Amino acid sequence: MAEPEIDYTAVFQALPGAVALLTPQLFFADVNEQWLRMVSRNREDVIGRYMPDDYADTPNHPNAVVARNIGESLHRVARTGRTETMELQRFEPTDSAVRPRAAEERFWSITNIPVPGTDGRVAMLLHRVADVTELIQARAVALSLQEAMLPAPRVVGRHTVAVRYRPAVGALEVGGDWYDLVELPGDRLGVAVGDVVGHGLSAATVMGQLRSALSAASRSCGGPARALEILELYADSVVGAENTTVASAVVDWDTHHITYSVAGHLPPALLRSDGTVEFLDRATDPPLGARFDHGPWSQATAPFTEGGFLVLYTDGLVERRGEDIDTGLARLAGSLSRHARAGAEALADALLADLLPSTGTGDDTALVIVPL
């Protein structure tokens, strides 16, 4: 059977996304129609043009920096022969009368690929651009919604609590992780974190309902265990609330005790002033809706002295794919001990820097740090 004749010009035009072909010296050799539409140019104005000439006459234009970044990446690919995916590039609005789509900022994802010649050296450079503006805008909306649904960091009574929320990498939807702070009579503070299964509007709706219900129960019930008992009864009527995990605690500065109860969640960490760490794991039950015995929830207390911290968190901080959870908890304990003398805000930043990979994680992370 004879090999089919391949029209490589047609193949090039059919490549997904906006694609340009350049020489190693960064002169345009070919571009597809999608690339021309994206940059609003005519083919005859592009072919044979030297790419770095863009913004050469306006070096102070914000987009000139982007053009330089692209040129530097292409030069590296030509030199090393290795594909390079650039960091997201942001283009500022230009003349909307000439290019209406450019009236708003655009975000481009760019990949530069070496094309070897017969001698193995880089003969051409394939420059692929994807406009991801709508994805970035969707992510921003999702994060704004998540932020609006969670309580703002504030002074609770006379205590300043540090809180952090980090979304999963690539998340374009709100997540189910949440936290809550409740000022209680006397010198007491109720604090909780939870994790609803799933993402999206449905998970966010469940998260908002459960957070509000637990907040109300914590104000009117006799401790964390009773509050979780009431929460589970309420969760039975909420579609999507099953298997939600929660850790709830009350810090009492008058008695210097922490009372806590956990529903399938990772144990709160008590960082003592001497740098030692205790995981509060003596009152743990299954997640909401997963108990066979619907009796009272477990509850325990732990003493504390001033100068330490109570740390509550969700699994994004410690869990990693293919790794035992004990490894993640040990990593958390080590980071806490190293930064035991930091303030609450500095400690929160240090934990995120130590424990979250630079590339981010595939799960949301909520973190609450209460100075004791």
Side-chain angles (χ1 to χ4, degrees):
M1 181 177 177
E3 292 186 2
E5 184 176 341
I6 300 175
D7 185 342
Y8 285 99
T9 299
V11 171
F12 180 78
Q13 289 296 328
L15 289 174
V19 183
L21 192 65
L22 297 99
T23 68
Q25 295 76 35
L26 307 195
F27 287 91
F28 286 100
D30 202 356
V31 293
N32 68 359
E33 290 300 321
Q34 288 194 53
W35 193 90
L36 292 173
R37 285 196 297 270
M38 176 174 286
V39 300
S40 300
R41 291 181 180 175
N42 298 318
R43 184 179 178 83
E44 55 270 20
D45 296 330
V46 174
I47 303 303
R49 178 184 174 88
Y50 182 51
M51 176 182 267
D53 280 346
D54 290 346
Y55 300 101
D57 297 331
T58 54
N60 294 324
H61 192 285
N63 293 346
V65 175
V66 179
R68 286 195 293 272
N69 292 341
I70 294 172
E72 291 170 0
S73 174
L74 286 165
H75 278 304
R76 283 194 298 271
V77 174
R79 184 175 65 254
T80 65
R82 293 194 295 268
T83 295
E84 183 169 304
T85 299
M86 299 181 62
E87 294 183 357
L88 212 61
Q89 299 296 309
R90 173 183 173 182
F91 281 79
E92 296 291 337
T94 54
D95 187 355
S96 60
V98 177
R99 297 169 58 193
R101 287 188 69 216
E104 61 182 28
E105 63 183 9
R106 312 300 298 175
F107 293 88
W108 286 3
S109 174
I110 300 173
T111 304
N112 297 317
I113 306 167
V115 180
T118 55
D119 60 358
R121 298 183 178 180
V122 176
M124 303 296 290
L125 299 168
L126 197 64
H127 173 65
R128 183 181 181 277
V129 181
D131 189 330
V132 295
T133 305
E134 292 183 1
L135 294 177
I136 297 301
Q137 291 173 340
R139 176 181 174 86
V141 170
L143 296 183
S144 296
L145 176 59
Q146 183 87 46
E147 183 177 349
M149 297 182 73
L150 295 174
R154 67 187 190 279
V155 176
V156 184
R158 64 183 181 90
H159 307 287
T160 302
V161 180
V163 298
R164 298 289 187 273
Y165 178 84
R166 293 292 183 271
V169 172
L172 300 179
E173 299 179 303
V174 290
D177 290 24
W178 52 275
Y179 59 85
D180 197 29
L181 304 170
V182 178
E183 187 173 357
L184 298 172
D187 196 5
R188 296 188 303 150
L189 171 69
V191 56
V193 295
D195 188 357
V196 174
V197 176
H199 285 80
L201 186 58
S202 60
T205 301
V206 173
M207 177 266 285
Q209 290 175 288
L210 295 183
R211 187 184 70 80
S212 298
L214 181 59
S215 184
S218 297
R219 286 176 166 87
S220 58
C221 297
R226 178 59 177 161
L228 287 184
E229 183 179 343
I230 298 298
L231 181 65
E232 184 175 51
L233 291 173
Y234 174 76
D236 286 342
S237 65
V238 179
V239 176
E242 58 274 5
N243 293 316
T244 292
T245 66
V246 186
S248 179
V250 172
V251 183
D252 189 330
W253 279 272
D254 289 333
T255 65
H256 282 78
H257 277 83
I258 298 167
T259 305
Y260 65 94
S261 185
V262 177
H265 202 82
L266 292 165
L270 175 57
L271 172 61
R272 301 191 185 279
S273 56
D274 62 1
T276 58
V277 176
E278 176 188 353
F279 286 104
L280 305 183
D281 57 4
R282 293 185 292 110
T284 299
D285 284 293
L288 299 183
R291 295 193 306 162
F292 294 108
D293 177 10
H294 290 277
W297 285 80
S298 302
Q299 181 170 290
T301 61
F304 69 86
T305 56
E306 293 187 4
F309 297 92
L310 176 65
V311 181
L312 289 84
Y313 51 95
T314 56
D315 53 8
L317 187 69
V318 294
E319 286 189 351
R320 299 293 176 267
R321 182 174 298 178
E323 181 181 86
D324 188 88
I325 187 58
D326 289 339
T327 301
L329 292 176
R331 189 164 50 236
L332 170 59
S335 181
L336 287 169
S337 295
R338 287 194 300 275
H339 304 289
R341 297 186 178 278
E345 294 292 336
L347 179 59
D349 291 336
L351 289 179
L352 295 182
D354 284 355
L355 303 180
L356 295 187
S358 59
T359 54
T361 70
D363 201 358
D364 302 335
T365 299
L367 173 66
V368 181
I369 298 181
V370 182
L372 300 175

